[in-house]
Amino acid sequence: MKNKSSVAILCATFLVVLVSCRKDNLTNNSQDALHPKDKLYSVQEINAVIQSSLQKTGDFKWNEQSDELLYSAVIHGDSLLSVGYGNPQSSNTVTESNNTEAQMANISVSAAKRAGVNIDGIKSGILQQVKTAEAKENVLQYESPVLTNMVVKIGNLSTLQELRKSKAIRYVEPADYNKHLLKSRSAMATESLSSGGGDPAELPGWFIQGSGEPLIPKSYADQKIPDAWKISTGKGITIGLIDNGVYQTQTAFTSQEFGAGRTIALFGTFKGSNDVYANKDDMSADHGTGMASLIAAPKKVNLPVGIAYNCNLVSYRATDFVALWTSKQQQGVATALTRLADDNNVKVISMSNGWIFNVSVLADAVKYAKSKGKLIFAAAGTSIKPINLGFFVIDIPKSVGVIFPASMSETVAVTGTDYSTTGSLVSCKECHEGDKVYFTTTTATSAGVNNAVAVYHDTPGQYGFSGSSSAATAINAGIAALVWSSHPSWNDKQVLQRMVESAKLYPNKDSKLGYGPINVLKAVQP
């Protein structure tokens, strides 16, 4: 049976309501001149600065803000400060270096020690500095066991100012301010979570499978995925999925259903818990199960099928929502990234989640995973503004483009498109686009039916539909596994290059839709 309600797969959910602000013309250079030094910026004033930056540049950076604004954001965010530290003898810009070894020595605890850096002493010195400045002992709230970052609790502006002066500090950012950019949980609960009307199963000819076959949308046929399955089904390749976990009630994701020759492993890192399963109370409850379906669902008659239906799957419950605005979500995802990075069996990582601008603790984890040779697929973003759903309390302009971490050079950004009978690429109205995008996949039958690829939900034998950039990301992660399985001796760069060369627009690259959809049959050829 199929679930008639379409379920939105939201990678980044953006809204329509702009906060009333006193100083919406604040700029980075004019903050201090317009604001009393002895008074905290209000949430409305800080949001106005973020709004202005997004409108002007499509981005926002905490490191470009004044001490006073940054401190105000920290205080409004439960006084929690994210601190990235490193070797004071190296330039802080080394974290942006193309020299992986030098970069990791400033991000990874183990790499720093291998390079002869007394990283434990540096961390202890910073903590002692904060303790002394704050006149209290219990300042440390969280520390990464793998990366050179931590969260401390501060109350004094001078503490922040002294940290920003230190050569041992790579960055300081509010750890929990972003909650003020979103509506309350109760307000969100009143909004519909559907991203488009219609049931693609009832649109004539959308599914092309023959007798005894799984549900195969014609968009898969256009990318020659069924033809590619005659050569590669992802066998021997392990994909790591970072999301909110799969439903415990969904039997498709068990070792019994995966069968001999395949493995599935479930882990949890959200809020420091070992819970591995999706929770009905999650703000994007069906999301992880849907993404797992698109990547690795076993091949069953008249049911959803994974692109790499013979691959191995490692699923991490690392968050409860696709928009990563809390420190607990960010820490959960960062921990999942580092664990997958250190898992030698994992080749591909799929993460259909993110935030509207850079979060440095997550950027550290992405760089760490990339340094271990992982191919990381990230969603370009899904805006719900065109369908009048609002979670944010600022307006997210089109200039934002590809969201973080898909905006990073270490990731492969993917977005969705609408179906076209002519073979041309048609932008999906709610999918983010931009020059960071590598690939696209059609996940909508038309502009009116945004969810058009079949996925499992909580009940065995039943399915619903997914779409937009989240679904496109999981699909392309599966495609990477098909290519890698066909060329097991290749590294991540070689696999990505083959995917690029097999894409529709190659050797050209569109400024919004990248290289377009991949011809998967071409990509898996010897």
Side-chain angles (χ1 to χ4, degrees):
M1 294 179 63
K2 57 181 180 294
N3 183 337
K4 292 286 186 177
S5 60
S6 294
V7 177
I9 301 300
L10 307 174
C11 172
T13 49
F14 306 138
L15 96 139
V16 295
V17 180
L18 175 63
V19 186
S20 172
C21 299
R22 287 187 289 150
K23 299 176 181 175
D24 59 356
N25 64 338
L26 288 175
T27 64
N28 295 345
N29 294 328
S30 64
Q31 290 166 8
D32 296 339
L34 294 175
H35 196 276
K37 292 271 187 183
D38 60 348
K39 182 181 178 182
L40 286 178
Y41 282 87
S42 69
V43 166
Q44 289 80 9
E45 289 171 330
I46 298 169
N47 285 357
V49 173
I50 295 172
Q51 174 80 76
S52 176
S53 180
L54 292 175
Q55 287 177 329
K56 291 177 180 178
T57 69
D59 197 9
F60 173 77
K61 297 177 181 179
W62 287 113
N63 66 353
E64 295 178 352
Q65 310 311 312
S66 69
D67 290 343
E68 289 76 14
L69 185 137
L70 183 59
Y71 171 71
S72 299
V74 171
I75 297 303
H76 288 304
D78 300 324
S79 299
L80 297 178
L81 181 71
S82 292
V83 179
Y85 56 95
N87 183 3
Q89 303 305 316
S90 66
S91 168
N92 285 341
T93 58
V94 76
T95 55
E96 304 301 324
S97 169
N98 290 326
N99 184 330
T100 302
E101 184 176 349
Q103 185 187 75
M104 283 305 105
N106 227 29
I107 292 176
S108 161
V109 172
S110 60
K113 291 178 178 179
R114 287 196 300 272
V117 178
N118 181 15
I119 200 67
D120 290 335
I122 292 169
K123 179 186 70 176
S124 296
I126 294 168
L127 282 174
Q128 187 56 52
Q129 178 184 347
V130 175
K131 290 176 182 179
T132 301
E134 294 291 318
K136 63 174 65 173
E137 284 295 314
N138 57 336
V139 296
L140 180 63
Q141 306 297 302
Y142 167 83
E143 63 177 316
S144 170
V146 177
L147 306 173
T148 56
N149 59 56
M150 57 185 168
V151 175
V152 297
K153 192 163 189 173
I154 68 168
N156 300 324
L157 172 60
S158 58
T159 304
L160 174 67
Q161 291 172 325
E162 290 306 309
L163 286 173
R164 293 188 95 179
K165 293 176 184 177
S166 172
K167 292 183 178 180
I169 299 298
R170 296 186 291 116
Y171 58 81
V172 287
E173 295 177 356
D176 261 327
Y177 177 80
N178 291 335
K179 63 185 178 182
H180 294 294
L181 294 170
L182 289 135
K183 293 181 180 179
S184 68
R185 177 72 183 260
S186 59
M188 293 186 204
T190 66
E191 307 284 5
S192 166
L193 287 183
S194 172
S195 73
D199 184 343
E202 295 175 355
L203 297 177
W206 180 244
F207 290 114
I208 62 166
Q209 79 273 18
S211 176
E213 291 292 319
L215 293 171
I216 303 173
K218 64 169 66 174
S219 56
Y220 285 15
D222 288 349
Q223 288 194 243
K224 300 190 181 301
I225 291 170
D227 294 329
W229 285 337
K230 298 173 184 177
I231 298 173
S232 177
T233 58
K235 187 175 179 60
I237 302 300
T238 301
I239 300 179
L241 171 63
I242 300 175
D243 216 289
N244 71 309
V246 298
Y247 281 122
Q248 187 172 9
T249 54
Q250 180 49 257
T251 57
F253 302 106
T254 61
S255 56
Q256 291 81 2
E257 286 294 318
F258 266 43
R262 299 184 70 192
T263 62
I264 180 168
L266 309 178
F267 298 99
T269 56
F270 181 46
K271 293 184 176 179
S273 169
N274 292 323
D275 291 344
V276 302
Y277 295 110
N279 190 313
K280 274 292 187 180
D281 291 332
D282 291 345
M283 294 173 65
S284 48
D286 299 324
H287 199 270
T289 304
M291 298 305 99
S293 302
L294 295 169
I295 292 170
K299 194 175 183 182
K300 300 286 184 180
V301 177
N302 292 326
L303 288 172
V305 60
I307 298 296
Y309 62 81
N310 268 330
C311 76
N312 305 315
L313 181 66
V314 179
S315 167
Y316 270 88
R317 173 175 168 77
T319 180
D320 62 345
F321 194 39
V322 289
L324 307 176
W325 83 88
T326 73
S327 60
K328 297 300 184 184
Q329 293 166 334
Q330 294 158 8
Q331 290 162 13
V333 171
T335 301
L337 277 165
T338 56
R339 290 185 184 178
L340 288 169
D342 289 334
D343 186 336
N344 292 331
N345 293 318
V346 173
K347 299 287 189 183
V348 180
I349 297 174
S350 179
M351 51 185 305
S352 294
N353 37 57
W355 186 243
I356 50 176
F357 50 79
N358 182 79
V359 178
S360 292
V361 294
L362 284 176
D364 283 353
V366 168
K367 291 172 183 176
Y368 181 78
K370 185 60 180 176
S371 75
K372 297 299 185 80
K374 311 304 178 184
L375 195 49
I376 308 166
F377 290 83
T382 302
S383 171
I384 57 177
K385 181 174 180 178
I387 52 176
N388 199 31
L389 292 182
F391 289 134
F392 281 68
V393 295
I394 61 171
D395 190 35
I396 310 300
K398 289 185 178 180
S399 58
V400 168
V402 176
I403 66 164
F404 171 87
S407 56
M408 294 180 65
S409 61
E410 289 83 359
T411 65
V412 180
V414 185
T415 198
T417 55
D418 288 348
Y419 187 75
S420 170
T421 57
T422 65
S424 60
L425 296 184
V426 179
S427 294
C428 152
K429 68 178 183 179
E430 75 273 14
C431 300
H432 285 225
E433 303 172 343
D435 59 6
K436 304 288 187 181
V437 170
Y438 266 83
F439 305 118
T440 66
T441 285
T442 294
T443 58
T445 58
S446 67
V449 183
N450 302 312
N451 294 335
V453 287
V455 297
Y456 285 110
H457 289 160
D458 57 335
T459 305
Q462 294 187 355
Y463 61 89
F465 297 94
S466 172
S468 302
S469 69
S470 283
T473 299
I475 289 168
N476 279 271
I479 292 171
L482 298 184
V483 177
W484 221 325
S485 179
S486 185
H487 303 88
S489 65
W490 282 6
N491 61 30
D492 59 311
K493 296 181 178 64
Q494 291 171 303
V495 171
L496 179 58
Q497 185 60 31
R498 171 59 69 89
M499 294 173 74
V500 167
E501 292 172 356
S502 303
K504 182 182 182 70
L505 301 181
Y506 180 81
N508 299 312
K509 188 173 187 282
D510 185 79
S511 61
K512 295 182 177 180
L513 299 175
Y515 296 104
I518 297 166
N519 180 326
V520 185
L521 177 61
K522 181 177 180 181
V524 299
Q525 295 296 322

